[in-house]
Amino acid sequence: MTLAMTAIRLALLGGALAAGLAAQTGKDSCVACHGALEGSLAEPTAAFQHDVHKVRGFSCVDCHGGDPTALDPETSMSRARGFKGKIDRRAIPELCARCHSDATLIHRFNPRQRVDQLAQYRTSVHGRRLAAGDTRVANCVDCHGVHDIREVRDPLSPVHPLRLPETCARCHSDSDHMKGYGIATDQFEKYRRSVHWEALSRRGDFSAPSCATCHGNHGAAPPGVATVAHVCGSCHAVFENLFTKSPHKKAFDELGMPGCVVCHGNHEVAKPTMALVGVQPGSLCLNCHVEGDKGRQAAEFMRSRIDELATVLDGSEEILKRAERSGMEVSPALVELSGGRESLIRAKVELHGFDPVLMDGSVKKGLEIAAAARRAGEKALQERDFRRKGLLLSLTAIGVTMAGLWLAVRELERRSKKG
Amino acid sequence: MFRRVLGWVSNRAGLDGARDFLKHKTVPAHSGALWYYFGGVTLFLFVIQVLTGMLLLLYYRPTPTEAFESVQFIVTQVEFGWLIRSVHSWAANLMVLTALIHMFSVFFLKAYRKPRELTWLSGIALLFLTLAFGFSGYLLPWNTLAYFATKVGTDMGGAVPVVGSFLRRFLRGGEEVTGATLTRFFGFHVAVLPGLTTLLLLAHLALVQKWGISSPKRQGESAPAMPFYPNFVLRELIGWYGALAVLGTLAALFPWELGTKADPFAPAPAGIRPEWYFLAMFFTLKLIPSKVLVFDGEVLGVLVFGLAAVGWMLMPFWDNRSENERRHRMLTGLGIFVIAYLAVFSVLGYWG
Amino acid sequence: MEEHETTDGRRRLIRALLGSGFAASIASFLYPAVRFMAPPQAAESAVNQVSAGKADLKPNTARIFRFGAKPALLVRTATGEFRAFSAVCTHLNCTVQYDNEKRQIWCACHNGQFDLNGKVAGGPPPRPLEQYTAHVQGDEVVVIRG
C-alpha cells in the first residue's frame, strides 16, 4: 500500500470514525470503525452480532489483539498493543486453543465442554497436514465459521448435525480442491442417498450418524479396515457382537476386508433387503462362496428359512384380514401376529452371526406364532359361517311366521267379506 | 286356561273399557294405507333399541379409559355380543329412516290437518329426540370417528346465536370434548332422553287413539275400514317381522365396526363426517362462506336451519287449505323440495 | 273372485304355520339375549390392569408379558421389589429386555439403555420408558397403567 493510499485511507477512517462514534457510545473502537466501513471490512462486525463469543462477553481483541479503547487506527491496530491482523491459517488452531484448551477458563462458561480439541486435531489428517504446511486442509474456522461462530446445537451453525455433511462436502466434494489427495469426492452424494441421512434429515432422528459420528470431528480420520465394525457397532451393538463371533470376522480380517462395509457400504448405506442373501444371482454371498462350500449351503438355508417365515406370516395375516373384512373382531390375534413379525426381524438380525442353527431358533418361534394366528383366523371364519347359518335359521323362522300371518289376515278378510 | 288368566287380570286392572275400545277400533283401508305402517315400525324399532340398549348396559362402561375396551369386550368375548351391538347400531339408523318416512307420508297425506295438529307437533318433537338419541349414542363407543364427529357437531351447537357458547359448554360438559362429555352423553342417552321420549310417545299414541287414524276425506264416511284387532295388528306384525329380518341380515352380514380408540391428542383424520342423518346440514354449513355480509356464516346457517325446523313444525298452521283437503301446490312442492335437498346434500356430504 | 270354504285343513295349516313360526322366531330372539346376559369367561374388560403372572420371579430377573396390545416388562429388582414398564423402546419401537449384569433395561436394536426408573441411561432413545404400578395380590403380580 503506497503512502498516499494509506493517507487517504486514514483520512476516510477519521471521517467515518467521527460519524460512527457520534452515533455509538460505549462500543469498542474495532466495531465502531469497521461497522461504518463497507465491503469485506465491515462484514465481520455484522456477523459478530450473533457470535457465541460476543454473547459471552468476548470481542475482536480477544483473538486479533490491539487496543479497543484507542480511537485512532495507529494505536488501536498497533503491533505494540498486540494487534495480529488477519491470522495466518497455520496459526489458527493454536490461537483458538489458547482459550479452548484451558480447562479452568472454559469450564467457567460450560463445565461439560471438552478442552482436548487441539490434541485431537493434531492426530487428524487435517491437523498433521496443516502442521506440514498444507494450507488447503480444514482448520477450526473452516468448519465452525470465523466471525459468526454459533453453538453446535444452533441450527444455523455449520457443524449442526443437519448441516455438517454439506460443510464437509464444501471441500470433500470439490474435485478441484481435492486434486492430489487421492481420495474419492462422491461421499456426500452417496451419503445423501443413505438411510442414515434419511433418518437424520427426514425423521429428525439425531441419533443417526453424519460424517463426524463415524470419522470423528476434531480427530477426523477414516476408520481402519480392521476397526470399521467397532464404528458401526457403536450404535449397532448387537450386529457387531454377532459379527465378531461369526466365522466372517476371522475370514475378513485375513483378507483385509472391512467388516460391515463389505455388504452394507460405508457412505451409501441403503436399506438392506433379503436380495443380498442367498444363492440367487445378485446375492452378495456368491461373491466369495462357491458351489459345495459350507458357507454357500448356509446362505441357501438361511435365505429359504427366512423366506418361509415371511410367507407363512403373510398367509396368516391374509386369513385374519379376510375375517376382519367379513366383520369379525380379530384385533387380539393381529396383535399376537405382530410378535411373529418381531421374530422375523430377530431372525434377520441373527443372520449376522452367519450360523444357521442360531438363526433358526427365532424362525421356529415365528412359525409357531404364525400358526397360532392362522388358527385364530380360521376360527373367526368358522364363527362367521356359524353366524350366517344362524341368520338363515332365524330368517326361516321369520319367513314362516310372516307367511302364517299373511294367510291368517287373508283368511280373516275373506271371511268378513262373506259375512 | 290362558283366557281365564287374561280375563282375571283384565277385570282386576279395569282393562275392560280398553279392551272394548280396541275391539271396536277401526283403521281405514285404502290404497294409501301402506304408509300407515311406518309409525308402528318406528315404535317397534324404539322398543328394540330399549331392549338391546338394556342388554348392552350390562357390560358397557362410560369412561374414556374403559368405554372402547368395554365395547370391544362385548363384541369379542360376550356370547352374541356382536349381534346385540350391531342390532342396536343398525336399528338406530333404521329408526331415523322410518321416522322420516313416517313424517313425510303424514305430510303428503296431510294427516296433520285439524284436529291432529298436536299429534304432528308431538311427532316432530319425537323426531328431534330420535336425532338426539343418535347423536348422543354415537359418541359412546369412544372411537376416533365418534370423537371427532362429536367435536364437529358440538362446535356447530356453538354457532347458535346468543346461547351458542353456553350450549356448547352444556353439551360438552366443559370447553372440549372429554370424559365429561362422555358421562353427560351417557346420561342423556340412557336416562334423560328415554324419559322424555316415553312421555311424548304416550302423548302421541294417546292422541292417535283419540282421533283415530286419519284417512283421506274423499273416501267419505262409509269408507272401507278394517278392524284394528286382529286385522291391522296382524298386518302390522308382518311389517315388524320384516323389520326384524332386515335387522338380523344387516347385523350378521354387515356388522358395525369397532374402529380405533379415540386419541384426543392425535390430529383429526381426513374425511371426518357425522352420521348420515346429519350429513345434509353438515355439508350445507361447509358450503356457506365464513362471512356473509356482516354475519358469521356458520351462525347464519344454524339460524336458517333453526327457523326452517320451526317453520316445518308449524306446518298445520300454514296449510290453511288442508282442512278442506284442497291441494296446496306450493306446500306439496316444498315437501318434494325438502326431500330432494336432504337426499342430494346427504350424498354430497358423504362424498366430501 | 273365487270362493271356497275354509277347510279344516286350511285352518290347521295357518295355525301350524303361525304357531311354529312364532315359537321359532321368539326362540331365536330369546336365545341370544339369554346367552348374552351370562357373563363370559374373562369377566372384566379392563385393559388398564392386567395380571402379569405368578409372583415367583427370582430377584434380578425379568419377564415379558402382554399389556393390552403391547408388550410390557416385569422386573424383579435385586432387592425383591417388582417394577413394570412398557417394553416398547422409545427410539424405534423394538422390544426391550432386562440386562441382569448391568441391572438395566437394554434395547438390542440400537443399544438403548434405561435405568430401573425407566429413564434413559444411554443410547439413542429420546424419551423414558412408560412406568406402570406393580403390586402383589395373593400369588399374582397385578400391573396397573395410568
Side-chain angles (χ1 to χ4, degrees):
Chain A
M1 217 192 284
T2 68
L3 205 60
M5 276 179 71
T6 317
I8 295 171
R9 266 184 165 257
L10 287 176
L12 283 171
L13 264 178
L17 183 57
L21 280 178
Q24 300 161 73
T25 46
K27 284 230 164 29
D28 69 33
S29 63
C30 320
V31 175
C33 284
H34 279 268
L37 294 176
E38 284 177 9
S40 61
L41 286 171
E43 263 174 44
T45 48
F48 197 59
Q49 298 308 310
H50 306 291
D51 190 297
V52 61
H53 298 102
K54 171 169 194 294
V55 171
R56 296 270 185 270
F58 294 90
S59 72
C60 320
V61 290
D62 295 298
C63 290
H64 289 284
D67 184 351
T69 60
L71 293 176
D72 75 285
E74 286 266 350
T75 331
S76 60
M77 296 197 290
S78 82
R79 297 271 166 208
R81 303 282 172 109
F83 184 64
K84 298 196 187 81
K86 186 166 167 153
I87 316 283
D88 181 80
R89 278 185 69 79
R90 282 167 296 181
I92 285 176
E94 269 76 18
L95 176 62
C96 303
R98 235 187 38 207
C99 295
H100 280 277
S101 293
D102 180 347
T104 325
L105 174 64
I106 290 298
H107 290 176
R108 281 211 322 254
F109 297 96
N110 181 353
R112 288 193 324 240
Q113 186 155 320
R114 300 175 67 129
V115 288
D116 62 350
Q117 292 91 340
L118 180 62
Q120 291 223 336
Y121 181 71
R122 287 201 177 119
T123 71
S124 72
V125 176
H126 298 142
R128 285 186 276 122
R129 293 198 92 95
L130 186 70
D134 181 352
T135 53
R136 279 196 297 158
V137 295
N139 59 25
C140 316
V141 300
D142 292 314
C143 296
H144 287 275
V146 48
H147 293 115
D148 62 346
I149 302 176
R150 295 169 187 266
E151 293 187 353
V152 175
R153 60 181 174 202
D154 185 331
L156 291 174
S157 162
V159 295
H160 182 267
L162 286 176
R163 294 193 59 198
L164 184 64
E166 68 191 52
T167 303
C168 303
R170 250 195 279 135
C171 293
H172 280 274
S173 291
D174 181 348
S175 38
D176 288 327
H177 188 96
M178 297 302 294
K179 263 208 188 71
Y181 289 117
I183 55 179
T185 50
D186 60 353
Q187 301 92 333
F188 183 55
E189 281 314 302
K190 284 187 162 168
Y191 174 72
R192 275 224 295 226
R193 291 197 287 267
S194 73
V195 289
H196 290 143
W197 173 242
E198 205 223 332
L200 193 57
S201 65
R202 206 175 55 79
R203 282 207 312 264
D205 183 356
F206 279 58
S207 68
S210 65
C211 318
T213 321
C214 296
H215 290 282
N217 42 15
H218 302 112
V225 149
T227 54
V228 124
H230 290 320
V231 173
C232 310
S234 63
C235 293
H236 297 278
V238 180
F239 296 87
E240 192 203 347
N241 260 345
L242 286 165
F243 175 76
T244 314
K245 297 198 196 104
S246 80
H248 275 186
K249 170 86 176 130
K250 188 153 169 286
F252 281 15
D253 282 350
E254 280 171 10
L255 292 167
M257 285 160 67
C260 320
V261 178
V262 174
C263 295
H264 291 286
N266 47 9
H267 300 113
E268 195 177 358
V269 178
K271 200 161 164 67
T273 66
M274 287 310 293
L276 298 174
V277 177
V279 296
Q280 72 286 356
S283 99
L284 293 175
C285 312
L286 289 180
N287 287 351
C288 298
H289 292 286
V290 295
E291 196 72 49
D293 83 22
K294 263 177 56 185
R296 193 182 162 113
Q297 285 164 359
E300 194 170 18
F301 176 77
M302 290 195 290
R303 173 69 197 268
S304 69
R305 285 294 274 171
I306 286 187
D307 281 352
E308 184 186 340
L309 178 56
T311 312
V312 169
L313 283 169
D314 284 341
S316 301
E317 184 168 354
E318 199 268 325
I319 284 207
L320 284 173
K321 288 278 177 198
R322 214 173 350 128
E324 198 176 47
R325 273 197 303 273
S326 353
M328 305 305 295
E329 240 302 301
V330 291
S331 36
L334 282 168
V335 165
E336 296 288 329
L337 186 64
S338 70
R341 297 245 172 244
E342 265 196 37
S343 288
L344 180 62
I345 294 176
R346 187 150 288 145
K348 290 182 183 172
V349 170
E350 284 162 351
L351 197 113
H352 292 81
F354 300 103
D355 172 3
V357 172
L358 171 71
M359 181 211 81
D360 214 41
S362 295
V363 171
K364 288 205 186 82
K365 183 145 167 272
L367 288 171
E368 264 173 40
I369 295 176
R374 170 171 274 266
R375 282 193 296 273
E378 281 163 357
K379 192 154 158 263
L381 288 173
Q382 275 167 7
E383 168 70 17
R384 177 198 66 174
D385 293 336
F386 165 75
R387 290 184 192 181
R388 294 190 175 172
K389 289 201 196 91
L391 173 69
L392 205 60
L393 225 75
S394 46
L395 283 181
T396 313
I398 288 174
V400 163
T401 316
M402 282 170 84
L405 284 168
W406 178 240
L407 287 175
V409 164
R410 274 210 358 198
E411 188 56 35
L412 272 172
E413 284 172 3
R414 201 184 55 79
R415 259 194 292 145
S416 68
K417 244 196 189 83
K418 272 185 64 182
Chain B
M1 175 66 196
F2 184 62
R3 280 184 198 282
R4 276 178 53 180
V5 172
L6 217 60
W8 176 87
V9 171
S10 171
N11 177 264
R12 297 299 189 274
L15 295 178
D16 290 324
R19 287 182 73 199
D20 271 337
F21 172 74
L22 279 178
K23 265 215 198 93
H24 292 106
K25 177 176 149 87
T26 63
V27 172
H30 57 83
S31 57
L34 193 64
W35 297 107
Y36 289 158
Y37 295 100
F38 280 94
V41 172
T42 312
L43 171 65
F44 175 65
L45 289 173
F46 178 67
V47 170
I48 294 276
Q49 288 303 80
V50 171
L51 293 174
T52 52
M54 290 199 289
L55 286 174
L56 289 172
L57 264 180
L58 294 181
Y59 296 101
Y60 175 75
R61 298 192 184 179
T63 67
T65 42
E66 295 192 277
F68 181 81
E69 285 79 2
S70 65
V71 177
Q72 185 175 38
F73 183 74
I74 289 172
V75 168
T76 54
Q77 306 278 27
V78 179
E79 237 190 295
F80 292 107
W82 59 273
L83 179 67
I84 305 293
R85 195 249 167 157
S86 277
V87 166
H88 195 78
S89 304
W90 273 115
N93 284 272
L94 286 182
M95 185 177 162
V96 173
L97 184 65
T98 57
L100 286 171
I101 295 176
H102 179 53
M103 178 183 78
F104 279 117
S105 65
V106 165
F107 174 81
F108 285 115
L109 289 171
K110 299 193 179 307
Y112 53 72
R113 64 186 188 275
K114 171 173 166 181
R116 294 180 176 84
E117 301 98 322
L118 207 54
T119 321
W120 169 267
L121 286 176
S122 60
I124 298 294
L126 280 169
L127 178 67
F128 288 148
L129 286 176
T130 309
L131 295 175
F133 264 117
F135 187 63
S136 56
Y138 197 56
L139 180 66
L140 299 185
W142 199 251
N143 56 29
T144 310
L145 236 50
Y147 177 82
F148 287 104
T150 306
K151 205 158 177 314
V152 170
T154 48
D155 261 336
M156 291 198 313
V160 171
V162 182
V163 294
S165 59
F166 166 75
L167 186 64
R168 182 172 46 214
R169 282 196 71 228
F170 173 76
L171 287 175
R172 288 183 176 177
E175 292 302 332
E176 297 297 332
V177 175
T178 60
T181 319
L182 184 60
T183 313
R184 193 162 276 241
F185 272 32
F186 180 69
F188 289 151
H189 192 80
V190 307
V192 176
L193 290 171
L196 288 175
T197 306
T198 307
L199 290 175
L200 263 175
L201 201 53
L202 289 173
H204 192 77
L205 291 172
L207 285 165
V208 169
Q209 297 311 310
K210 175 172 173 55
W211 294 112
I213 295 191
S214 130
S215 63
K217 248 210 181 121
R218 63 176 174 274
Q219 300 284 338
E221 283 312 316
S222 54
M226 69 170 92
F228 176 73
Y229 182 83
N231 301 52
F232 190 72
V233 168
L234 286 179
R235 283 169 175 268
E236 192 147 52
L237 271 181
I238 298 179
W240 293 7
Y241 267 88
L244 274 177
V246 168
L247 267 180
T249 310
L250 288 170
L253 296 183
F254 305 103
W256 206 261
E257 246 195 10
L258 197 59
T260 51
K261 181 167 178 166
D263 178 3
F265 295 115
I272 284 292
R273 49 170 191 260
E275 274 291 79
W276 63 272
Y277 34 89
F278 291 123
L279 275 176
M281 181 164 76
F282 171 69
F283 190 71
T284 313
L285 286 174
K286 262 176 43 168
L287 283 184
I288 299 180
S290 55
K291 264 241 162 327
V292 178
L293 300 177
V294 292
F295 303 108
D296 177 57
E298 219 186 13
V299 173
L300 198 65
V302 170
L303 204 59
V304 165
F305 275 113
L307 289 174
V310 171
W312 188 261
M313 223 174 171
L314 298 176
M315 192 54 60
F317 310 104
W318 304 123
D319 191 359
N320 46 14
R321 303 184 199 165
S322 64
E323 197 181 339
N324 306 326
E325 261 198 276
R326 277 177 18 239
R327 273 202 221 277
H328 198 309
R329 286 238 163 78
M330 212 165 68
L331 282 184
T332 310
L334 177 70
I336 296 177
F337 168 74
V338 168
I339 294 183
Y341 160 76
L342 287 176
V344 169
F345 272 67
S346 298
V347 169
L348 288 175
Y350 184 77
W351 285 339
Chain C
M1 198 209 315
E2 258 193 322
E3 289 209 12
H4 44 224
E5 293 293 327
T6 312
T7 60
D8 255 351
R10 195 179 174 81
R11 202 174 290 149
R12 269 215 291 271
L13 169 68
I14 294 177
R15 204 157 281 176
L17 277 179
L18 266 184
S20 62
F22 268 133
S25 55
I26 298 294
S28 77
F29 309 146
L30 280 184
Y31 177 71
V34 167
R35 297 297 303 153
F36 180 91
M37 290 196 274
Q41 280 292 65
E44 284 243 8
S45 74
V47 196
N48 286 342
Q49 181 177 307
V50 128
S51 162
K54 296 270 176 269
D56 57 1
L57 210 53
K58 289 203 187 44
N60 199 27
T61 59
R63 167 166 72 217
I64 291 276
F65 64 99
R66 193 163 70 88
F67 201 128
K70 299 271 165 70
L73 184 71
L74 178 69
V75 179
R76 189 164 197 187
T77 66
T79 56
E81 192 193 335
F82 281 102
R83 303 232 178 129
F85 305 90
S86 161
V88 178
C89 182
T90 55
H91 178 224
L92 290 177
N93 297 334
C94 293
T95 303
V96 301
Q97 55 193 280
Y98 183 61
D99 179 343
N100 60 4
E101 281 179 5
K102 295 214 191 93
R103 313 227 167 147
Q104 271 185 336
I105 299 170
W106 180 60
C107 183
C109 287
H110 301 96
N111 210 16
Q113 296 140 44
F114 302 90
D115 64 19
L116 285 175
N117 291 314
K119 299 254 162 26
V120 179
R127 286 183 311 277
L129 281 180
E130 192 185 348
Q131 185 164 14
Y132 307 140
T133 335
H135 57 245
V136 179
Q137 231 169 40
D139 63 347
E140 277 197 339
V141 181
V142 169
V143 174
I144 305 175
R145 159 169 73 189

